[in-house]
Amino acid sequence: MRRQNVAGVKQGDWVVAAADQVIAEGKRRSPDSPLVCASGISPSGPIHLGNLREIMVPHFVADEIRRRGLECKHILSWDDYDRLRKVPAGLPASFAEHIGRPLTSVPDPCGEHQNWAEHFKIPFRAALAELGVEVTEISQTEMYTSGTYREQILHAMRNREKIDAVLGRYRTKQAQAAEDEAEEDKGNEGASDSDYYPYKPYCAACGRDTTAISSFDEDSTRIRYSCQCGHSDGFALSEGNGGKLVWKVDWPMRWAFEGVTFEAGGVDHSSPGSSFTVGSQLVREVFGGQPPSYLGYSFVGISGAAKMSGSAGGAPTPTDALQILEAPLLRWLYARRKPNQAITVAFDQEVNRLYDEWDALGRKVAAGQAEPTELAVRERSMGSATRTLPTAEQVLPFRTLASVVDITTGDEEQTLRILRDLTTDEPLVNLDRARPRLDRAQAWVTGYVPTEERTRVRTEPDRARLEQLSPTEREALKLLLDGLDEHWSLPGLTSLVYGVPKLQAGLELDAPATPELKTAQRALFSLLYTLLVSRDTGPRLPTLLLALGADRIRTLLSVA
């Protein structure tokens, strides 16, 4: 799937620009250097749509590089050896006893998985597979407990004064307040500058990291520590693996160890004095490596919501989004905006607009009217260099599907009847041709449309309102009912419901609408909604009429 004319999409395409920088960085290091894009996620709680940007930015860059015929690995480092910092909202408060322990040492909250970390990894893995994202997973628990980083830990401990000096350049209240991990910058909490240690052991007695190193012997590599639980112990770092480097040291260590060429990070890691700034100096001055090419990304929110936090609870996850958004559309939301621009993912009525915009882009591409950048964005949204994501054989507007499943309450026989009537040019022969979008519409209507906004068609005529009809309203209903059979199609009913006020004014159905006619049309629409669904608004009237069928419409609108 190599894209042709890369130069033609470079202008304004952040993915192409980033890929160019990564390739240049690889050549600068060594022509034989592998290209490595990296992501890192802590599975401390539900992995939400904000976390997904940590994956999607490097994914699009790595995929662009592969489309050019170059090898590029995308690694996902699971920070599952991090401490549990707090219990996410919605989970039992009893798990607070595990705060301070590695995520992989905390029990699974549902009792079905290996541990706390796996509980949150598993649904995220499934979502990545559905999105066509391929990553090489690295468990930091496995890396630390297997001794893989032993030499890097010893190197950091022996160069702790140099590390402390670098951190000291940025150790300000402002810099610390900018990050969630600020307390880890000190390494050995409570130690004086001369006793700084960039390593935190987990207590052998309680399993928590509420520890402080009291001594380190460089020859024997033995450390002594005490824990807030009252336990004191020690072990040789050359033999034991019971701890980890603090965050601001751990990150640049991994850049050097993995040879990372590109990484993205949230704005809280990208400000002056933050993790990336400090890490860039540490990787050069301590670990003998190079900082990666880097992009900072902005927050992801849902309609009207602020920054999402997995520990705050209630933040939608990729699994939630994929219930109502087709995978290509969700990819598009992350691909079309530059990383430093905020993204809003809609779960309310705005979801209709998102689908409309996505479909409009598809029509523009099909008509050959799309700009090169628009073509590139749609291509990478439809899948990766190795996989094209499934889409509906017959694409129908999401808002139409939502209206139909709302009216029919999901009844498949009625849904097919209505959709067949709606698709006169290419009649829908079975519902599978409208999937997976039809299933997304069903999930959205049942899961996200408030009960008071659902369509409930009247079972009996509103006789009280029918008796109060004015002569003009009676005439309008008669003209509508008389024209049903002749105009029984979506375009025909559209023409009819908009045209009834025109007929009453002595005009043709296709006469242009004047301000007065538009006022009359709105009044008719409000009347029809009242008589059909007991509200003054509802699904598009032509769709609603087609869904109800001519006999039911006559039952509800005929004046006895």
Side-chain angles (χ1 to χ4, degrees):
M1 292 180 63
R2 188 187 191 284
R3 183 181 301 112
Q4 300 298 316
N5 190 22
V6 172
V9 300
K10 184 171 182 178
Q11 187 69 29
D13 190 325
W14 70 266
V15 176
V16 169
D20 288 345
Q21 292 181 10
V22 174
I23 293 170
E25 174 65 17
K27 291 179 179 178
R28 187 183 67 80
R29 295 184 183 187
S30 168
D32 299 325
S33 293
L35 300 178
V36 178
C37 295
S39 299
I41 290 179
S42 177
S44 58
I47 301 171
H48 53 68
L49 290 167
N51 301 134
L52 182 61
R53 203 166 198 182
E54 171 73 21
I55 298 291
M56 298 309 295
V57 172
H59 165 70
F60 287 129
V61 175
D63 188 63
E64 172 65 27
I65 292 170
R66 295 187 193 116
R67 289 176 190 268
R68 301 186 194 183
L70 302 174
E71 291 187 14
C72 184
K73 182 167 68 171
H74 182 188
I75 61 175
L76 167 54
S77 285
W78 288 113
D79 291 317
D80 50 16
Y81 204 46
D82 285 0
R83 69 195 303 268
L84 178 66
R85 300 183 61 214
K86 55 184 175 181
V87 180
L91 292 174
S94 60
F95 277 89
E97 70 169 291
H98 297 291
I99 289 175
R101 290 176 177 147
L103 298 173
T104 44
S105 296
V106 180
D108 172 24
C110 71
E112 298 178 2
H113 307 117
Q114 186 177 359
N115 53 53
W116 180 279
E118 285 301 310
H119 176 83
F120 298 108
K121 288 182 189 179
I122 287 173
F124 189 69
R125 284 194 189 107
L128 292 185
E130 190 171 347
L131 286 166
V133 176
E134 298 177 1
V135 294
T136 300
E137 297 184 39
I138 299 174
S139 166
Q140 290 305 311
T141 295
E142 294 177 7
M143 298 297 281
Y144 272 105
T145 59
S146 67
T148 302
Y149 293 148
R150 187 171 294 158
E151 289 304 316
Q152 284 72 25
I153 291 170
L154 289 171
H155 181 75
M157 289 290 280
R158 288 168 176 152
N159 287 273
R160 61 190 182 279
E161 291 184 5
K162 184 182 293 186
I163 293 172
D164 189 42
V166 172
L167 293 176
R169 301 172 199 165
Y170 302 97
R171 193 179 285 132
T172 65
K173 292 182 180 180
Q174 292 81 3
Q176 289 182 4
E179 299 197 46
D180 291 336
E181 299 82 10
E183 76 277 4
E184 292 188 337
D185 295 349
K186 302 174 185 177
N188 200 39
E189 187 172 358
S192 64
D193 289 346
S194 60
D195 293 328
Y196 169 82
Y197 297 105
Y199 180 80
K200 270 279 191 177
Y202 283 108
C203 178
C206 71
R208 300 180 179 88
D209 71 342
T210 51
T211 58
I213 296 176
S214 56
S215 66
F216 169 62
D217 183 86
E218 293 195 11
D219 294 328
S220 67
T221 74
R222 188 168 184 81
I223 63 168
R224 294 290 304 176
Y225 69 86
S226 59
C227 181
Q228 292 179 12
C229 74
H231 180 73
S232 296
D233 207 342
F235 62 92
L237 289 176
S238 59
E239 301 172 2
N241 307 304
K244 68 183 294 290
L245 294 172
V246 297
W247 164 244
K248 282 190 176 179
V249 181
D250 173 85
W251 199 16
M253 179 276 289
R254 284 191 260 162
W255 289 342
F257 185 87
E258 301 289 351
V260 176
T261 329
F262 174 79
E263 187 153 2
V267 293
D268 48 349
H269 294 317
S270 310
S271 57
S274 63
S275 296
F276 183 75
T277 305
V278 175
S280 296
Q281 296 215 14
L282 289 177
V283 72
R284 292 189 185 99
E285 299 180 25
V286 177
F287 295 106
Q290 295 293 321
S293 177
Y294 182 81
L295 283 177
Y297 56 79
S298 189
F299 299 127
V300 178
I302 59 174
S303 296
K307 174 188 174 183
M308 295 183 298
S309 170
S311 61
T317 66
T319 300
D320 296 327
L322 287 168
Q323 289 179 345
I324 64 171
L325 300 177
E326 294 172 323
L329 191 155
L330 186 56
R331 286 176 63 97
W332 174 66
L333 293 180
Y334 286 81
R336 66 173 177 163
R337 297 281 186 251
K338 294 179 180 179
N340 62 357
Q341 296 176 317
I343 293 174
T344 299
V345 181
F347 284 78
D348 56 9
Q349 292 289 341
E350 280 293 294
V351 73
N352 290 298
R353 180 184 58 79
L354 291 181
Y355 270 100
D356 288 345
E357 291 181 359
W358 170 245
D359 290 346
L361 176 60
R363 291 190 295 271
K364 194 173 181 181
V365 169
Q369 299 171 344
E371 298 294 327
T373 298
E374 292 176 315
L375 284 168
V377 171
R378 181 169 171 83
E379 181 181 349
R380 63 176 64 106
S381 300
M382 295 298 293
S384 67
T386 59
R387 180 185 168 200
T388 300
L389 299 179
T391 54
E393 291 183 64
Q394 197 163 340
V395 178
L396 301 177
F398 182 85
R399 63 177 68 245
T400 297
L401 295 175
S403 294
V404 172
V405 298
D406 182 27
I407 296 165
T408 64
T409 63
D411 182 278
E412 293 205 350
E413 183 177 345
Q414 291 299 317
T415 298
L416 180 58
R417 175 188 67 79
I418 298 165
L419 292 178
R420 187 184 292 121
D421 287 344
L422 285 169
T423 53
T424 52
D425 292 339
E426 183 184 357
L428 187 72
V429 295
N430 61 68
L431 294 182
D432 286 341
R433 287 181 57 82
R435 292 187 166 102
R437 181 172 292 193
L438 176 61
D439 297 329
R440 302 298 193 273
Q442 177 74 59
W444 179 69
V445 169
T446 57
Y448 294 95
V449 177
T451 302
E452 62 272 16
E453 295 181 15
R454 296 287 301 275
T455 301
R456 296 289 183 265
V457 180
R458 293 185 61 88
T459 57
E460 296 291 337
D462 186 348
R463 302 192 187 282
R465 181 67 180 89
L466 287 170
E467 291 175 0
Q468 298 171 358
L469 293 174
S470 68
T472 299
E473 291 173 331
R474 287 174 180 268
E475 181 188 29
L477 292 184
K478 185 177 186 305
L479 287 170
L480 177 69
L481 295 176
D482 288 347
L484 286 180
D485 292 339
E486 181 183 350
H487 296 87
W488 195 253
S489 67
L490 186 61
L493 289 173
T494 301
S495 174
L496 180 62
V497 295
Y498 280 92
V500 163
K502 299 177 185 179
L503 295 177
Q504 289 182 281
L507 303 172
E508 298 295 328
L509 284 176
D510 57 356
T514 62
E516 293 77 12
L517 283 174
K518 290 181 179 179
T519 299
Q521 288 169 340
R522 287 193 293 269
L524 174 60
F525 296 166
S526 179
L527 173 64
L528 291 174
Y529 283 127
T530 299
L531 294 173
L532 296 174
V533 297
S534 302
R535 289 164 43 199
D536 56 4
T537 61
R540 292 190 68 249
L541 268 174
T543 304
L544 177 61
L545 296 176
L546 203 61
L548 294 179
D551 290 343
R552 194 170 184 187
I553 294 170
R554 290 190 175 96
T555 298
L556 294 175
L557 299 185
S558 295
V559 181

PDB file of all heavy atoms in Angstrom, residues 386-409:
ATOM      1  N   THR A 386      -0.739  -2.649   6.083  1.00  0.00           N
ATOM      2  CA  THR A 386      -0.909  -4.098   5.932  1.00  0.00           C
ATOM      3  C   THR A 386      -2.359  -4.555   6.019  1.00  0.00           C
ATOM      4  O   THR A 386      -2.642  -5.729   5.791  1.00  0.00           O
ATOM      5  CB  THR A 386      -0.111  -4.836   7.022  1.00  0.00           C
ATOM      6  OG1 THR A 386      -0.561  -4.412   8.320  1.00  0.00           O
ATOM      7  CG2 THR A 386       1.379  -4.540   6.890  1.00  0.00           C
ATOM      8  N   ARG A 387      -3.275  -3.651   6.355  1.00  0.00           N
ATOM      9  CA  ARG A 387      -4.652  -4.104   6.579  1.00  0.00           C
ATOM     10  C   ARG A 387      -5.654  -3.001   6.283  1.00  0.00           C
ATOM     11  O   ARG A 387      -5.472  -1.860   6.720  1.00  0.00           O
ATOM     12  CB  ARG A 387      -4.804  -4.556   8.025  1.00  0.00           C
ATOM     13  CG  ARG A 387      -6.203  -5.040   8.381  1.00  0.00           C
ATOM     14  CD  ARG A 387      -6.307  -5.361   9.857  1.00  0.00           C
ATOM     15  NE  ARG A 387      -7.681  -5.550  10.271  1.00  0.00           N
ATOM     16  CZ  ARG A 387      -8.109  -5.460  11.523  1.00  0.00           C
ATOM     17  NH1 ARG A 387      -7.251  -5.183  12.480  1.00  0.00           N
ATOM     18  NH2 ARG A 387      -9.375  -5.645  11.815  1.00  0.00           N
ATOM     19  N   THR A 388      -6.697  -3.345   5.516  1.00  0.00           N
ATOM     20  CA  THR A 388      -7.810  -2.438   5.276  1.00  0.00           C
ATOM     21  C   THR A 388      -8.963  -2.844   6.184  1.00  0.00           C
ATOM     22  O   THR A 388      -9.333  -4.019   6.241  1.00  0.00           O
ATOM     23  CB  THR A 388      -8.259  -2.488   3.805  1.00  0.00           C
ATOM     24  OG1 THR A 388      -7.163  -2.100   2.962  1.00  0.00           O
ATOM     25  CG2 THR A 388      -9.434  -1.545   3.571  1.00  0.00           C
ATOM     26  N   LEU A 389      -9.526  -1.894   6.892  1.00  0.00           N
ATOM     27  CA  LEU A 389     -10.571  -2.191   7.858  1.00  0.00           C
ATOM     28  C   LEU A 389     -11.912  -2.420   7.164  1.00  0.00           C
ATOM     29  O   LEU A 389     -12.185  -1.829   6.117  1.00  0.00           O
ATOM     30  CB  LEU A 389     -10.695  -1.051   8.863  1.00  0.00           C
ATOM     31  CG  LEU A 389      -9.445  -0.779   9.696  1.00  0.00           C
ATOM     32  CD1 LEU A 389      -9.676   0.399  10.643  1.00  0.00           C
ATOM     33  CD2 LEU A 389      -9.038  -2.007  10.500  1.00  0.00           C
ATOM     34  N   PRO A 390     -12.758  -3.262   7.744  1.00  0.00           N
ATOM     35  CA  PRO A 390     -14.063  -3.543   7.111  1.00  0.00           C
ATOM     36  C   PRO A 390     -15.006  -2.340   7.196  1.00  0.00           C
ATOM     37  O   PRO A 390     -15.005  -1.600   8.179  1.00  0.00           O
ATOM     38  CB  PRO A 390     -14.602  -4.717   7.939  1.00  0.00           C
ATOM     39  CG  PRO A 390     -13.908  -4.620   9.267  1.00  0.00           C
ATOM     40  CD  PRO A 390     -12.544  -4.059   8.966  1.00  0.00           C
ATOM     41  N   THR A 391     -15.776  -2.165   6.145  1.00  0.00           N
ATOM     42  CA  THR A 391     -16.810  -1.118   6.113  1.00  0.00           C
ATOM     43  C   THR A 391     -18.076  -1.728   5.525  1.00  0.00           C
ATOM     44  O   THR A 391     -18.059  -2.832   4.972  1.00  0.00           O
ATOM     45  CB  THR A 391     -16.380   0.082   5.255  1.00  0.00           C
ATOM     46  OG1 THR A 391     -16.011  -0.381   3.939  1.00  0.00           O
ATOM     47  CG2 THR A 391     -15.185   0.800   5.876  1.00  0.00           C
ATOM     48  N   ALA A 392     -19.160  -0.999   5.625  1.00  0.00           N
ATOM     49  CA  ALA A 392     -20.441  -1.497   5.117  1.00  0.00           C
ATOM     50  C   ALA A 392     -20.406  -1.609   3.596  1.00  0.00           C
ATOM     51  O   ALA A 392     -19.842  -0.751   2.910  1.00  0.00           O
ATOM     52  CB  ALA A 392     -21.574  -0.571   5.553  1.00  0.00           C
ATOM     53  N   GLU A 393     -21.014  -2.666   3.072  1.00  0.00           N
ATOM     54  CA  GLU A 393     -21.116  -2.816   1.620  1.00  0.00           C
ATOM     55  C   GLU A 393     -21.972  -1.703   1.028  1.00  0.00           C
ATOM     56  O   GLU A 393     -21.715  -1.229  -0.076  1.00  0.00           O
ATOM     57  CB  GLU A 393     -21.728  -4.177   1.272  1.00  0.00           C
ATOM     58  CG  GLU A 393     -20.844  -5.371   1.581  1.00  0.00           C
ATOM     59  CD  GLU A 393     -21.503  -6.664   1.140  1.00  0.00           C
ATOM     60  OE1 GLU A 393     -21.718  -6.846  -0.071  1.00  0.00           O
ATOM     61  OE2 GLU A 393     -21.817  -7.490   2.020  1.00  0.00           O
ATOM     62  N   GLN A 394     -22.999  -1.317   1.757  1.00  0.00           N
ATOM     63  CA  GLN A 394     -23.904  -0.265   1.299  1.00  0.00           C
ATOM     64  C   GLN A 394     -23.940   0.815   2.383  1.00  0.00           C
ATOM     65  O   GLN A 394     -24.482   0.596   3.467  1.00  0.00           O
ATOM     66  CB  GLN A 394     -25.304  -0.836   1.045  1.00  0.00           C
ATOM     67  CG  GLN A 394     -26.198   0.063   0.204  1.00  0.00           C
ATOM     68  CD  GLN A 394     -27.396  -0.699  -0.356  1.00  0.00           C
ATOM     69  OE1 GLN A 394     -27.380  -1.921  -0.438  1.00  0.00           O
ATOM     70  NE2 GLN A 394     -28.419   0.017  -0.753  1.00  0.00           N
ATOM     71  N   VAL A 395     -23.342   1.943   2.099  1.00  0.00           N
ATOM     72  CA  VAL A 395     -23.216   3.009   3.094  1.00  0.00           C
ATOM     73  C   VAL A 395     -24.485   3.857   3.118  1.00  0.00           C
ATOM     74  O   VAL A 395     -24.841   4.481   2.131  1.00  0.00           O
ATOM     75  CB  VAL A 395     -21.988   3.899   2.794  1.00  0.00           C
ATOM     76  CG1 VAL A 395     -21.904   5.033   3.802  1.00  0.00           C
ATOM     77  CG2 VAL A 395     -20.715   3.055   2.833  1.00  0.00           C
ATOM     78  N   LEU A 396     -25.146   3.849   4.272  1.00  0.00           N
ATOM     79  CA  LEU A 396     -26.343   4.670   4.468  1.00  0.00           C
ATOM     80  C   LEU A 396     -26.043   5.710   5.545  1.00  0.00           C
ATOM     81  O   LEU A 396     -25.251   5.463   6.457  1.00  0.00           O
ATOM     82  CB  LEU A 396     -27.526   3.793   4.900  1.00  0.00           C
ATOM     83  CG  LEU A 396     -27.919   2.672   3.932  1.00  0.00           C
ATOM     84  CD1 LEU A 396     -29.049   1.849   4.515  1.00  0.00           C
ATOM     85  CD2 LEU A 396     -28.314   3.246   2.583  1.00  0.00           C
ATOM     86  N   PRO A 397     -26.676   6.886   5.463  1.00  0.00           N
ATOM     87  CA  PRO A 397     -26.400   7.921   6.460  1.00  0.00           C
ATOM     88  C   PRO A 397     -26.672   7.420   7.876  1.00  0.00           C
ATOM     89  O   PRO A 397     -27.690   6.777   8.141  1.00  0.00           O
ATOM     90  CB  PRO A 397     -27.366   9.050   6.071  1.00  0.00           C
ATOM     91  CG  PRO A 397     -27.644   8.830   4.618  1.00  0.00           C
ATOM     92  CD  PRO A 397     -27.633   7.348   4.430  1.00  0.00           C
ATOM     93  N   PHE A 398     -25.763   7.729   8.780  1.00  0.00           N
ATOM     94  CA  PHE A 398     -25.903   7.279  10.166  1.00  0.00           C
ATOM     95  C   PHE A 398     -27.187   7.813  10.787  1.00  0.00           C
ATOM     96  O   PHE A 398     -27.896   7.080  11.484  1.00  0.00           O
ATOM     97  CB  PHE A 398     -24.692   7.738  10.982  1.00  0.00           C
ATOM     98  CG  PHE A 398     -24.721   7.281  12.415  1.00  0.00           C
ATOM     99  CD1 PHE A 398     -24.241   6.031  12.768  1.00  0.00           C
ATOM    100  CD2 PHE A 398     -25.223   8.103  13.423  1.00  0.00           C
ATOM    101  CE1 PHE A 398     -24.264   5.598  14.085  1.00  0.00           C
ATOM    102  CE2 PHE A 398     -25.255   7.684  14.742  1.00  0.00           C
ATOM    103  CZ  PHE A 398     -24.775   6.426  15.079  1.00  0.00           C
ATOM    104  N   ARG A 399     -27.501   9.070  10.521  1.00  0.00           N
ATOM    105  CA  ARG A 399     -28.692   9.654  11.136  1.00  0.00           C
ATOM    106  C   ARG A 399     -29.961   8.962  10.638  1.00  0.00           C
ATOM    107  O   ARG A 399     -30.932   8.837  11.381  1.00  0.00           O
ATOM    108  CB  ARG A 399     -28.748  11.167  10.922  1.00  0.00           C
ATOM    109  CG  ARG A 399     -28.865  11.634   9.514  1.00  0.00           C
ATOM    110  CD  ARG A 399     -28.992  13.154   9.439  1.00  0.00           C
ATOM    111  NE  ARG A 399     -27.777  13.853   9.844  1.00  0.00           N
ATOM    112  CZ  ARG A 399     -27.694  14.646  10.915  1.00  0.00           C
ATOM    113  NH1 ARG A 399     -28.740  14.816  11.701  1.00  0.00           N
ATOM    114  NH2 ARG A 399     -26.577  15.282  11.199  1.00  0.00           N
ATOM    115  N   THR A 400     -29.940   8.488   9.393  1.00  0.00           N
ATOM    116  CA  THR A 400     -31.088   7.739   8.875  1.00  0.00           C
ATOM    117  C   THR A 400     -31.217   6.398   9.586  1.00  0.00           C
ATOM    118  O   THR A 400     -32.301   6.005  10.019  1.00  0.00           O
ATOM    119  CB  THR A 400     -30.944   7.519   7.361  1.00  0.00           C
ATOM    120  OG1 THR A 400     -30.946   8.781   6.693  1.00  0.00           O
ATOM    121  CG2 THR A 400     -32.075   6.659   6.819  1.00  0.00           C
ATOM    122  N   LEU A 401     -30.103   5.682   9.708  1.00  0.00           N
ATOM    123  CA  LEU A 401     -30.118   4.392  10.403  1.00  0.00           C
ATOM    124  C   LEU A 401     -30.567   4.567  11.845  1.00  0.00           C
ATOM    125  O   LEU A 401     -31.346   3.763  12.372  1.00  0.00           O
ATOM    126  CB  LEU A 401     -28.734   3.749  10.351  1.00  0.00           C
ATOM    127  CG  LEU A 401     -28.220   3.343   8.970  1.00  0.00           C
ATOM    128  CD1 LEU A 401     -26.794   2.831   9.072  1.00  0.00           C
ATOM    129  CD2 LEU A 401     -29.119   2.283   8.354  1.00  0.00           C
ATOM    130  N   ALA A 402     -30.058   5.616  12.501  1.00  0.00           N
ATOM    131  CA  ALA A 402     -30.433   5.857  13.895  1.00  0.00           C
ATOM    132  C   ALA A 402     -31.931   6.133  14.013  1.00  0.00           C
ATOM    133  O   ALA A 402     -32.596   5.645  14.930  1.00  0.00           O
ATOM    134  CB  ALA A 402     -29.626   7.017  14.459  1.00  0.00           C
ATOM    135  N   SER A 403     -32.459   6.912  13.091  1.00  0.00           N
ATOM    136  CA  SER A 403     -33.894   7.204  13.121  1.00  0.00           C
ATOM    137  C   SER A 403     -34.723   5.941  12.943  1.00  0.00           C
ATOM    138  O   SER A 403     -35.717   5.726  13.635  1.00  0.00           O
ATOM    139  CB  SER A 403     -34.253   8.207  12.017  1.00  0.00           C
ATOM    140  OG  SER A 403     -33.673   9.465  12.251  1.00  0.00           O
ATOM    141  N   VAL A 404     -34.284   5.088  12.032  1.00  0.00           N
ATOM    142  CA  VAL A 404     -35.054   3.873  11.742  1.00  0.00           C
ATOM    143  C   VAL A 404     -35.028   2.917  12.934  1.00  0.00           C
ATOM    144  O   VAL A 404     -36.073   2.389  13.340  1.00  0.00           O
ATOM    145  CB  VAL A 404     -34.522   3.194  10.468  1.00  0.00           C
ATOM    146  CG1 VAL A 404     -35.177   1.826  10.277  1.00  0.00           C
ATOM    147  CG2 VAL A 404     -34.782   4.069   9.253  1.00  0.00           C
ATOM    148  N   VAL A 405     -33.847   2.674  13.500  1.00  0.00           N
ATOM    149  CA  VAL A 405     -33.799   1.742  14.637  1.00  0.00           C
ATOM    150  C   VAL A 405     -34.499   2.340  15.854  1.00  0.00           C
ATOM    151  O   VAL A 405     -35.017   1.602  16.705  1.00  0.00           O
ATOM    152  CB  VAL A 405     -32.346   1.340  14.986  1.00  0.00           C
ATOM    153  CG1 VAL A 405     -31.703   0.610  13.830  1.00  0.00           C
ATOM    154  CG2 VAL A 405     -31.509   2.537  15.405  1.00  0.00           C
ATOM    155  N   ASP A 406     -34.530   3.665  15.942  1.00  0.00           N
ATOM    156  CA  ASP A 406     -35.262   4.315  17.025  1.00  0.00           C
ATOM    157  C   ASP A 406     -36.759   4.071  16.867  1.00  0.00           C
ATOM    158  O   ASP A 406     -37.456   3.679  17.814  1.00  0.00           O
ATOM    159  CB  ASP A 406     -34.948   5.810  17.013  1.00  0.00           C
ATOM    160  CG  ASP A 406     -35.630   6.573  18.135  1.00  0.00           C
ATOM    161  OD1 ASP A 406     -35.909   5.960  19.183  1.00  0.00           O
ATOM    162  OD2 ASP A 406     -35.874   7.778  17.969  1.00  0.00           O
ATOM    163  N   ILE A 407     -37.261   4.280  15.659  1.00  0.00           N
ATOM    164  CA  ILE A 407     -38.690   4.130  15.396  1.00  0.00           C
ATOM    165  C   ILE A 407     -39.132   2.674  15.547  1.00  0.00           C
ATOM    166  O   ILE A 407     -40.185   2.379  16.102  1.00  0.00           O
ATOM    167  CB  ILE A 407     -39.033   4.646  13.991  1.00  0.00           C
ATOM    168  CG1 ILE A 407     -38.753   6.147  13.896  1.00  0.00           C
ATOM    169  CG2 ILE A 407     -40.480   4.332  13.620  1.00  0.00           C
ATOM    170  CD1 ILE A 407     -38.709   6.671  12.487  1.00  0.00           C
ATOM    171  N   THR A 408     -38.297   1.745  15.067  1.00  0.00           N
ATOM    172  CA  THR A 408     -38.675   0.326  15.067  1.00  0.00           C
ATOM    173  C   THR A 408     -38.278  -0.378  16.352  1.00  0.00           C
ATOM    174  O   THR A 408     -38.581  -1.579  16.500  1.00  0.00           O
ATOM    175  CB  THR A 408     -38.006  -0.404  13.890  1.00  0.00           C
ATOM    176  OG1 THR A 408     -36.574  -0.368  14.069  1.00  0.00           O
ATOM    177  CG2 THR A 408     -38.368   0.238  12.565  1.00  0.00           C
ATOM    178  N   THR A 409     -37.585   0.344  17.259  1.00  0.00           N
ATOM    179  CA  THR A 409     -37.015  -0.249  18.487  1.00  0.00           C
ATOM    180  C   THR A 409     -36.182  -1.488  18.174  1.00  0.00           C
ATOM    181  O   THR A 409     -36.147  -2.453  18.938  1.00  0.00           O
ATOM    182  CB  THR A 409     -38.109  -0.596  19.518  1.00  0.00           C
ATOM    183  OG1 THR A 409     -38.983  -1.598  18.976  1.00  0.00           O
ATOM    184  CG2 THR A 409     -38.904   0.638  19.911  1.00  0.00           C
TER     185      THR A 409
END
